[in-house]
Amino acid sequence: MSKAKTAGEKATASAENLLENGTAAMKTGMEKALKGYDVFVGYGKETADAVTKSATVAGKGIESINSEIYSYSKQSIEDAVTATKAVLGSKSVHEAFEFQTDFAKSAFEAYVAELSKIGELATAATKETYAPFKGRVQAWLDAVQSVRAA
């Protein structure tokens, strides 16, 4: 009976030891998991902030480009009306032809200049739009490495 009691006590002690070790291992694992979760939640929040900033900048860039196109269109129509009045008020066919030629030349030059200006605005807006994402890949790699190291 004594051997059975001793074996039972050993089994109980062994089971308690396994339970304590398992509980400690589980607690350690959960703490690591929660730290990793916090790192990834922080990364997600920072990325969401970057998306918001990017969208705001993109909206302002589009607004700027639309404003420039509107201004150019308005000026172009005004110039065309002025040129038409000049052509219709000319005293000879030669004079009308000169007015029309001068208008065509200045309209083309204005168009090319405007395309260049819009291209510059679009390039600047694109750079500013993607600026908030700069470093997000490295931040992801850093987050993964910190969780792995923990």
Side-chain angles (χ1 to χ4, degrees):
M1 186 72 133
S2 152
K3 284 185 179 184
K5 186 176 181 184
T6 304
E9 288 174 355
K10 284 183 182 180
T12 302
S14 178
E16 287 176 355
N17 190 18
L18 286 173
L19 184 61
E20 287 175 14
N21 289 340
T23 302
M26 183 187 274
K27 183 178 177 183
T28 302
M30 285 298 290
E31 287 173 354
K32 283 183 179 181
L34 288 175
K35 285 180 186 176
Y37 177 76
D38 289 343
V39 168
F40 290 119
V41 167
Y43 172 81
K45 183 183 179 303
E46 291 169 5
T47 300
D49 290 343
V51 168
T52 302
K53 288 176 187 175
S54 177
T56 301
V57 170
K60 288 179 182 177
I62 290 170
E63 183 179 331
S64 165
I65 291 170
N66 284 340
S67 174
E68 186 61 36
I69 290 171
Y70 175 77
S71 295
Y72 170 75
S73 297
K74 183 178 176 186
Q75 185 62 46
S76 179
I77 290 171
E78 290 172 0
D79 291 346
V81 168
T82 302
T84 302
K85 286 180 182 178
V87 168
L88 293 176
S90 61
K91 297 178 183 172
S92 69
V93 173
H94 185 267
E95 186 179 39
F97 183 74
E98 286 181 9
F99 282 138
Q100 180 61 31
T101 302
D102 290 342
F103 169 72
K105 182 179 177 186
S106 66
F108 180 75
E109 289 171 353
Y111 177 73
V112 170
E114 190 63 24
L115 283 179
S116 177
K117 193 175 194 180
I118 289 172
E120 290 170 3
L121 286 172
T123 300
T126 301
K127 285 180 182 177
E128 291 174 19
T129 298
Y130 287 105
F133 294 112
K134 191 176 185 179
R136 295 310 312 145
V137 172
Q138 187 60 47
W140 172 255
L141 294 174
D142 292 344
V144 170
Q145 290 297 341
S146 70
V147 169
R148 283 178 135 183

